[in-house]
Amino acid sequence: MIHTIFYYIEHGTDPYENLALEQYLTETAQDGVCTLYLWQNRHTVVIGRNQNAWQECRTTELEKDGGTLVRRLSGGGAVYHDLGNLNFTFCVRTQDYDLHRQQRVIVEACRLLGIPAEISGRNDVLTDGRKFSGNSFYSHDGHSFHNGTLLLNVDMANLGKYLNPSKAKLNSKGVASVRSRVVNLCELKPELTLTMMENAMIAAFETVYGCKARSMTTADFDRKRLEELHAQFASWDWNYGKMRPFSFSCAHRFSWGEITLEFAVRNGLCEDVTVYTDAMETDFAAPLREGLRSCRFAVEELCARVRSVPECSAFADDLCTLLREQDI
């Protein structure tokens, strides 16, 4: 039974640091204590634990625009974060986890702001039939969290820009996102600010749990453990490497002939590559296949491998153009 509540507001926008804090606050949760963690990521796509990064996000486009892709601990779908979005996490011992009560905090916060809200199913919070909060959940070794988004004034153009890649040529068994009609809360309350939402969440937290929330400070944290967790969430293996095998293909007809590249990708690496071409000069196909094998499935790394194959020198520019045109 919860008898003590804390809150912590993180003002940094590094997604790796923020997810490290989320795990830290969860794994250090004590019996009878619930911590509300409020945080923001700048220009970030966050994918669920069991999702395929390339299936969910235009990773090349995101990186080109200076964005970050990160994989969270919890399941659920891919979401776009910017500074128009406020994220929340309830961190507790599993025995104290109460999803209904935690979701009531969100509804109560909206009520305090004069915004009608309702729970839809298990994962979403709606206003006027449109989603402004998606939730996900995590439990391990007696500790649990419930996190989610609060769309205040997110750049909706970027939702479509980064979260809707072409699925036609990518075959994956990863968990795919379900798209919903979404709305920014500022459409209902134009004067809404980040501080107003934070204050409403803390006030609602106190109302629902019936006690005064105490603020946590960075002095309360184990910096060494946070650095370890930061390194985990920032690693390529965590964000791209730990996923189910999938296949990808792309093709184009150039002046010198048609070419099709088929990739079998495992743990983010090109485990096998098949090259089909009707070009008159075919001596490059086998060396290209070998050159691309074991390469990370990332456009610029693939292009670097193409250029490293001497037999491909006459076709390298065209092949790199083909790769860069793909929604990966």
Side-chain angles (χ1 to χ4, degrees):
M1 182 175 183
I2 299 295
H3 55 70
T4 303
I5 60 175
F6 290 96
Y7 70 91
Y8 178 71
I9 301 176
E10 172 57 38
H11 296 292
T13 58
D14 176 351
Y16 307 132
E17 180 72 17
N18 289 336
L19 291 184
L21 273 164
E22 180 177 66
Q23 181 171 345
Y24 176 80
L25 290 171
T26 301
E27 67 184 23
T28 57
Q30 302 297 309
D31 290 348
V33 178
C34 181
T35 299
L36 173 61
Y37 169 44
L38 300 175
W39 47 288
Q40 289 186 294
N41 289 331
R42 180 188 297 274
H43 199 27
T44 301
V45 170
V46 184
I47 60 173
R49 184 175 186 127
N50 299 311
Q51 291 193 296
N52 182 313
W54 294 283
Q55 184 182 26
E56 296 300 322
C57 173
R58 291 187 174 99
T59 59
T60 303
E61 187 81 7
L62 180 68
E63 292 171 5
K64 184 181 71 175
D65 292 347
T68 304
L69 180 132
V70 65
R71 182 184 301 277
R72 61 178 179 266
L73 283 173
S74 52
V79 289
Y80 175 72
H81 290 178
D82 63 19
L83 298 188
N85 178 76
L86 176 65
N87 305 299
F88 63 85
T89 310
F90 294 92
C91 308
V92 294
R93 295 288 299 229
T94 301
Q95 65 199 33
D96 297 317
Y97 185 87
D98 187 337
L99 178 60
H100 177 68
R101 197 178 194 188
Q102 292 149 200
Q103 288 180 324
R104 279 173 52 206
V105 173
I106 305 165
V107 173
E108 174 66 14
C110 290
R111 187 193 67 80
L112 292 173
L113 293 167
I115 300 171
E118 61 178 351
I119 308 300
S120 174
R122 184 169 180 257
N123 296 353
D124 300 337
V125 188
L126 312 181
T127 180
D128 192 28
R130 292 184 290 173
K131 174 180 172 179
F132 68 88
S133 178
N135 297 188
S136 64
F137 319 98
Y138 171 78
S139 185
H140 177 71
D141 198 23
H143 296 82
S144 299
F145 71 63
H146 157 210
N147 66 10
T149 58
L150 295 169
L151 303 183
L152 308 183
N153 192 20
V154 171
D155 185 342
M156 293 295 185
N158 283 338
L159 291 177
K161 183 176 183 180
Y162 303 121
L163 292 184
N164 290 305
S166 170
K167 309 290 195 306
K169 297 181 181 179
L170 190 152
N171 181 16
S172 170
K173 294 183 179 179
V175 178
S177 294
V178 176
R179 307 300 176 198
S180 304
R181 285 200 311 151
V182 296
V183 62
N184 277 317
L185 292 180
C186 68
E187 292 184 32
L188 287 80
K189 190 178 181 70
E191 69 273 25
L192 181 63
T193 65
L194 173 66
T195 300
M196 289 169 64
M197 192 75 236
E198 290 171 339
N199 290 338
M201 285 290 288
I202 294 167
F205 189 37
E206 293 176 333
T207 297
V208 171
Y209 283 84
C211 50
K212 183 70 175 176
R214 289 184 278 173
S215 174
M216 302 181 76
T217 68
T218 54
D220 301 317
F221 304 148
D222 180 342
R223 296 311 307 179
K224 182 178 179 181
R225 177 57 178 156
L226 282 173
E227 288 171 5
E228 293 172 351
L229 292 172
H230 185 284
Q232 170 194 313
F233 285 108
S235 71
W236 187 90
D237 281 346
W238 171 257
N239 290 310
Y240 291 97
K242 296 186 182 300
M243 61 179 61
R244 296 176 180 177
F246 67 94
S247 61
F248 180 83
S249 66
C250 57
H252 191 78
R253 174 167 291 282
F254 297 100
S255 60
W256 44 266
E258 185 171 1
I259 188 167
T260 298
L261 301 176
E262 293 186 351
F263 300 87
V265 184
R266 181 185 292 272
N267 296 326
L269 301 177
C270 298
E271 183 178 63
D272 196 12
V273 181
T274 303
V275 180
Y276 300 103
T277 181
D278 64 0
M280 296 297 291
E281 299 179 35
T282 59
D283 290 346
F284 72 92
L288 175 61
R289 175 187 174 186
E290 293 305 312
L292 291 175
R293 288 175 108 177
S294 78
C295 182
R296 285 184 179 180
F297 190 67
V299 168
E300 292 308 318
E301 295 194 36
L302 291 169
C303 285
R305 288 289 189 96
V306 169
R307 295 188 184 283
S308 73
V309 178
E311 293 86 347
C312 288
S313 59
F315 313 112
D317 287 346
D318 287 340
L319 293 174
C320 288
T321 296
L322 170 62
L323 290 166
R324 291 190 178 110
E325 288 175 348
Q326 307 308 306
D327 283 334
I328 60 176

